[in-house]
Amino acid sequence: MMQDIVFISDLHLDAQRPAINELFLRFADDIAASADKLYILGDFLEVWAGDDSPTGALTPVFEKLAELPERHGTRVMLMHGNRDFMIGEELAARCHFELIDDPFPITLQGHDALLMHGDTLCTDDVEYQAMRKMIRTPQWKQQILEKTLEERIAIAQSYREQSQQSTTAKEEYIMDVNQEETDRVFIDNDVDLIIHGHTHRPAIHRKDIGGRERIRIVLGDWYKAGSYLRINDTTSAFDLKTYR
Ligand code: MN
């Protein structure tokens, strides 16, 4: 029997959007609690300045994360996104989730698959990729963590404003995956399934690459409603679902 696995990404949970936080709490009880595993593929939080950040309005969300493995036996696996890459092992231990690498290889329904956040596929955005390369090194993280919490919150805030401004200014295609890069990742990793988020363009793409059909599932964001993918014995085809 195969495992019952649920995938979500891009919830961007934040004190400013209490309805979505509530939606996640309900989703956790309703959907995730009966699964064996919940994979969160990045940008679970809109911003995170380090594990010493006050949890504030998100306290029930963190408690719910911890509840999933403790009360329901659902393992929670969390991948960093571009917003919440400062989530560390301390928060993971506190909330009982496991931090996983990006990309993360798994086997699913006989498919060799790769889980990703998706930002590394958006190579047309040269400026973003250069910044990502810099800020995702252990050295940079260490330097940032040596600053006070107040300083880190201010840095996160200005990074967010910059990113919002440049996102509005950039051409639409730049914010999507680059097709050649995506093909390369399929071939180099020898996988026929990739599941990712980040682009906020939910879809199931099927494409012949290198003589094999490859499937790319893009999870949706949690702005107007929730979005998830569930894979188990009873799901014969991949099906992206909306959660309200
Ligand atoms: Mn993202």
Side-chain angles (χ1 to χ4, degrees):
M1 210 175 103
M2 76 168 292
Q3 287 201 319
D4 186 358
I5 309 182
V6 171
F7 300 87
I8 54 175
S9 75
D10 302 281
L11 289 83
H12 293 263
L13 299 183
D14 185 44
Q16 312 301 318
R17 298 190 309 131
I20 297 300
N21 302 337
E22 288 296 323
L23 188 68
F24 172 73
L25 297 181
R26 195 147 51 75
F27 172 84
D29 287 331
D30 228 23
I31 306 290
S34 58
D36 296 311
K37 271 185 196 163
L38 171 68
Y39 279 98
I40 304 173
L41 300 185
D43 288 353
F44 180 64
L45 306 176
E46 171 71 4
V47 64
W48 191 246
D51 290 353
D52 53 350
S53 301
T55 53
L58 292 180
T59 305
V61 163
F62 291 119
E63 286 171 354
K64 188 58 79 177
L65 274 187
E67 211 181 284
L68 282 169
E70 277 172 15
R71 288 182 47 185
H72 307 286
T74 307
R75 275 174 75 185
V76 180
M77 325 289 276
L78 185 139
M79 179 183 285
H80 286 145
N82 49 303
R83 301 286 184 158
D84 57 8
F85 64 94
M86 295 295 286
I87 291 177
E89 291 295 347
E90 202 184 304
L91 186 71
R94 231 192 304 154
C95 299
H96 302 234
F97 60 79
E98 298 161 54
L99 275 173
I100 57 170
D101 288 340
D102 177 4
F104 188 75
I106 58 168
T107 308
L108 271 175
Q109 273 191 339
H111 293 275
D112 288 325
L114 209 58
L115 308 179
M116 311 176 80
H117 177 55
D119 55 333
T120 54
L121 298 172
C122 301
T123 53
D124 292 327
D125 194 344
V126 175
E127 188 193 347
Y128 169 76
Q129 295 301 336
M131 186 205 47
R132 185 187 194 279
K133 210 171 164 188
M134 180 185 79
I135 67 176
R136 300 293 284 272
T137 60
Q139 292 85 336
W140 190 89
K141 272 195 193 181
Q142 194 47 47
Q143 266 182 39
I144 288 295
L145 286 173
E146 280 162 12
K147 298 183 189 295
T148 66
L149 178 63
E150 288 70 30
E151 287 170 318
R152 278 180 274 134
I153 289 172
I155 291 168
Q157 184 59 33
S158 76
Y159 162 69
R160 230 172 124 192
E161 279 161 13
Q162 270 176 34
S163 136
Q164 273 160 4
Q165 282 167 10
S166 71
T167 306
T168 334
K170 272 169 196 158
E171 300 260 3
E172 176 116 320
Y173 80 92
I174 286 188
M175 307 311 295
D176 202 356
V177 302
N178 173 285
Q179 207 53 63
E180 280 118 67
E181 176 63 10
T182 306
D183 293 0
R184 187 194 67 75
V185 170
F186 270 116
I187 291 168
D188 286 2
N189 292 279
D190 197 24
V191 293
D192 51 20
L193 174 64
I194 292 178
I195 303 174
H196 71 84
H198 181 67
T199 62
H200 301 211
R201 290 173 159 91
I204 298 180
H205 302 275
R206 291 168 190 274
K207 188 186 172 195
D208 192 302
I209 304 165
R212 245 161 84 190
E213 190 197 47
R214 320 274 181 154
I215 306 169
R216 184 168 62 89
I217 304 180
V218 188
L219 303 168
D221 63 55
W222 284 52
Y223 279 91
K224 292 197 174 101
S227 167
Y228 71 101
L229 171 74
R230 183 168 207 157
I231 298 179
N232 59 31
D233 275 336
T234 64
T235 53
S236 51
F238 298 119
D239 188 15
L240 276 173
K241 290 207 162 67
T242 300
Y243 186 78
R244 296 173 201 280

